[in-house]
Amino acid sequence: MRNNFQELERQEMEQRTVPAKIKNGVDAQVGFFQFIGSLFELYLPKMVDLFVHKMSSDSDNAPKKAQKRYPNK
Amino acid sequence: MLKLMFINLLNPLMTSGVKSALTDDEVISKYLETSDPKYYSILYDRYSTKVFSKCISLLKSESLAEDAAQDIFIKILMNLSKFSGKSKFSTWIYSITYNYCIDMIRRKKKDPSLLVDNIADTHDAVEDVDEKFLLEVNITRLKIILEDIPVADKSILLMKYQDSLSIKEIGEILDKSESAIKMKIKRAKLKFKKSYYLKFKD
């Protein structure tokens, strides 16, 4: 059985309808976060791979560059 | 990429209004497993009216309550993985709702009593009001008195008598010891009684 506080809450809840714009706002934010999450999920590993590849290729090329600069050594 | 974006934006809208026999804990674990927005919609449908109603009751403004309810649901979603299941999901939602609304009022400095929170923790002698008195007040008068007393007192009375939370649960929500909560309830009941006699002297 409800007490008077709970009955008051029930009456207030009956009188009110939750505006649709709250749900729309939440959905838009959730969608946006999921989209950003998906972008990271899709592209972050590729970006890391690219970065690692670039770093390794730079270090491979380093001695050759030095040779070109000082051909008599 | 655009297709993915549209699917993500439209999915929650397409799955709103889903009814489910699953318990809150089951819905949460399904959502965390699948990230399917339909599970979040179930939780939204179950609690949105209550959260919105509480926001209006505490903030006393429909437009503020709309913003607050939206932020609260986003906060719930973002922190869903942190919900440990130690307390009921409803208690966890109420804790976010009460704390958000109290913070909002504090920021707007609408209620200075929230700023002197620690002063109210002093354990001096306070008359103990029988809770029978509170529970026998008729609903129309109850509504008037709850609008009259400070939000801090109102929220603690709502937690105790409307949401039927235990002293321990209220303590966890407000991050206070159980003895501090007992004192706050005592004070809130006294303010309630004083307000009642001021407004309805008959």
Side-chain angles (χ1 to χ4, degrees), chain B residues 115-127:
Chain B
L115 297 169
V116 288
D117 204 36
N118 293 329
I119 297 168
D121 282 348
T122 51
H123 291 234
D124 48 354
V126 176
E127 181 201 337

PDB file of all heavy atoms in Angstrom, chain B residues 115-127:
ATOM      1  N   LEU B 115      24.337  25.279   0.624  1.00  0.00           N
ATOM      2  CA  LEU B 115      25.730  25.704   0.758  1.00  0.00           C
ATOM      3  C   LEU B 115      26.244  25.551   2.193  1.00  0.00           C
ATOM      4  O   LEU B 115      27.431  25.529   2.433  1.00  0.00           O
ATOM      5  CB  LEU B 115      25.888  27.171   0.330  1.00  0.00           C
ATOM      6  CG  LEU B 115      25.554  27.449  -1.129  1.00  0.00           C
ATOM      7  CD1 LEU B 115      25.475  28.934  -1.380  1.00  0.00           C
ATOM      8  CD2 LEU B 115      26.596  26.823  -2.037  1.00  0.00           C
ATOM      9  N   VAL B 116      25.320  25.486   3.144  1.00  0.00           N
ATOM     10  CA  VAL B 116      25.738  25.331   4.538  1.00  0.00           C
ATOM     11  C   VAL B 116      25.453  23.906   5.005  1.00  0.00           C
ATOM     12  O   VAL B 116      25.000  23.664   6.118  1.00  0.00           O
ATOM     13  CB  VAL B 116      25.044  26.372   5.462  1.00  0.00           C
ATOM     14  CG1 VAL B 116      25.595  27.744   5.225  1.00  0.00           C
ATOM     15  CG2 VAL B 116      23.528  26.374   5.272  1.00  0.00           C
ATOM     16  N   ASP B 117      25.742  23.006   4.116  1.00  0.00           N
ATOM     17  CA  ASP B 117      25.484  21.592   4.342  1.00  0.00           C
ATOM     18  C   ASP B 117      26.123  21.065   5.624  1.00  0.00           C
ATOM     19  O   ASP B 117      25.517  20.332   6.385  1.00  0.00           O
ATOM     20  CB  ASP B 117      26.037  20.833   3.134  1.00  0.00           C
ATOM     21  CG  ASP B 117      25.344  19.514   2.958  1.00  0.00           C
ATOM     22  OD1 ASP B 117      24.140  19.461   3.214  1.00  0.00           O
ATOM     23  OD2 ASP B 117      26.018  18.555   2.591  1.00  0.00           O
ATOM     24  N   ASN B 118      27.384  21.473   5.857  1.00  0.00           N
ATOM     25  CA  ASN B 118      28.116  20.913   6.991  1.00  0.00           C
ATOM     26  C   ASN B 118      27.607  21.419   8.333  1.00  0.00           C
ATOM     27  O   ASN B 118      27.725  20.736   9.337  1.00  0.00           O
ATOM     28  CB  ASN B 118      29.609  21.211   6.856  1.00  0.00           C
ATOM     29  CG  ASN B 118      30.187  20.461   5.679  1.00  0.00           C
ATOM     30  OD1 ASN B 118      29.721  19.371   5.351  1.00  0.00           O
ATOM     31  ND2 ASN B 118      31.175  21.037   5.034  1.00  0.00           N
ATOM     32  N   ILE B 119      27.066  22.636   8.323  1.00  0.00           N
ATOM     33  CA  ILE B 119      26.538  23.173   9.575  1.00  0.00           C
ATOM     34  C   ILE B 119      25.392  22.297  10.075  1.00  0.00           C
ATOM     35  O   ILE B 119      25.260  22.036  11.262  1.00  0.00           O
ATOM     36  CB  ILE B 119      26.057  24.639   9.375  1.00  0.00           C
ATOM     37  CG1 ILE B 119      27.252  25.493   8.994  1.00  0.00           C
ATOM     38  CG2 ILE B 119      25.397  25.182  10.630  1.00  0.00           C
ATOM     39  CD1 ILE B 119      26.897  26.883   8.487  1.00  0.00           C
ATOM     40  N   ALA B 120      24.623  21.813   9.139  1.00  0.00           N
ATOM     41  CA  ALA B 120      23.470  20.979   9.505  1.00  0.00           C
ATOM     42  C   ALA B 120      23.882  19.622  10.075  1.00  0.00           C
ATOM     43  O   ALA B 120      23.066  18.911  10.631  1.00  0.00           O
ATOM     44  CB  ALA B 120      22.577  20.778   8.298  1.00  0.00           C
ATOM     45  N   ASP B 121      25.159  19.267   9.918  1.00  0.00           N
ATOM     46  CA  ASP B 121      25.623  17.967  10.419  1.00  0.00           C
ATOM     47  C   ASP B 121      25.911  17.962  11.919  1.00  0.00           C
ATOM     48  O   ASP B 121      26.156  16.918  12.505  1.00  0.00           O
ATOM     49  CB  ASP B 121      26.896  17.547   9.672  1.00  0.00           C
ATOM     50  CG  ASP B 121      26.548  17.003   8.296  1.00  0.00           C
ATOM     51  OD1 ASP B 121      25.362  16.760   8.057  1.00  0.00           O
ATOM     52  OD2 ASP B 121      27.469  16.864   7.488  1.00  0.00           O
ATOM     53  N   THR B 122      25.933  19.120  12.554  1.00  0.00           N
ATOM     54  CA  THR B 122      26.252  19.151  13.976  1.00  0.00           C
ATOM     55  C   THR B 122      25.155  18.442  14.766  1.00  0.00           C
ATOM     56  O   THR B 122      23.967  18.616  14.492  1.00  0.00           O
ATOM     57  CB  THR B 122      26.385  20.602  14.474  1.00  0.00           C
ATOM     58  OG1 THR B 122      25.229  21.311  14.075  1.00  0.00           O
ATOM     59  CG2 THR B 122      27.630  21.274  13.919  1.00  0.00           C
ATOM     60  N   HIS B 123      25.581  17.662  15.712  1.00  0.00           N
ATOM     61  CA  HIS B 123      24.641  16.782  16.410  1.00  0.00           C
ATOM     62  C   HIS B 123      24.079  17.430  17.687  1.00  0.00           C
ATOM     63  O   HIS B 123      24.216  16.893  18.769  1.00  0.00           O
ATOM     64  CB  HIS B 123      25.340  15.459  16.761  1.00  0.00           C
ATOM     65  CG  HIS B 123      25.643  14.654  15.542  1.00  0.00           C
ATOM     66  ND1 HIS B 123      25.255  13.354  15.371  1.00  0.00           N
ATOM     67  CD2 HIS B 123      26.289  14.993  14.395  1.00  0.00           C
ATOM     68  CE1 HIS B 123      25.660  12.918  14.210  1.00  0.00           C
ATOM     69  NE2 HIS B 123      26.287  13.888  13.598  1.00  0.00           N
ATOM     70  N   ASP B 124      23.478  18.577  17.566  1.00  0.00           N
ATOM     71  CA  ASP B 124      22.866  19.154  18.757  1.00  0.00           C
ATOM     72  C   ASP B 124      21.432  18.612  18.898  1.00  0.00           C
ATOM     73  O   ASP B 124      20.920  17.931  18.011  1.00  0.00           O
ATOM     74  CB  ASP B 124      22.883  20.695  18.695  1.00  0.00           C
ATOM     75  CG  ASP B 124      22.383  21.218  17.364  1.00  0.00           C
ATOM     76  OD1 ASP B 124      22.146  20.377  16.477  1.00  0.00           O
ATOM     77  OD2 ASP B 124      22.238  22.433  17.227  1.00  0.00           O
ATOM     78  N   ALA B 125      20.829  18.905  20.050  1.00  0.00           N
ATOM     79  CA  ALA B 125      19.512  18.329  20.345  1.00  0.00           C
ATOM     80  C   ALA B 125      18.452  18.868  19.391  1.00  0.00           C
ATOM     81  O   ALA B 125      18.321  20.077  19.206  1.00  0.00           O
ATOM     82  CB  ALA B 125      19.128  18.657  21.770  1.00  0.00           C
ATOM     83  N   VAL B 126      17.752  17.943  18.743  1.00  0.00           N
ATOM     84  CA  VAL B 126      16.675  18.321  17.819  1.00  0.00           C
ATOM     85  C   VAL B 126      15.434  17.533  18.213  1.00  0.00           C
ATOM     86  O   VAL B 126      15.516  16.326  18.471  1.00  0.00           O
ATOM     87  CB  VAL B 126      17.070  17.985  16.356  1.00  0.00           C
ATOM     88  CG1 VAL B 126      15.916  18.287  15.421  1.00  0.00           C
ATOM     89  CG2 VAL B 126      18.300  18.749  15.932  1.00  0.00           C
ATOM     90  N   GLU B 127      14.317  18.247  18.258  1.00  0.00           N
ATOM     91  CA  GLU B 127      13.061  17.571  18.612  1.00  0.00           C
ATOM     92  C   GLU B 127      12.763  16.466  17.599  1.00  0.00           C
ATOM     93  O   GLU B 127      12.924  16.674  16.392  1.00  0.00           O
ATOM     94  CB  GLU B 127      11.923  18.619  18.582  1.00  0.00           C
ATOM     95  CG  GLU B 127      10.571  18.057  18.961  1.00  0.00           C
ATOM     96  CD  GLU B 127       9.414  18.928  18.452  1.00  0.00           C
ATOM     97  OE1 GLU B 127       9.643  20.135  18.199  1.00  0.00           O
ATOM     98  OE2 GLU B 127       8.319  18.400  18.296  1.00  0.00           O
TER      99      GLU B 127
END
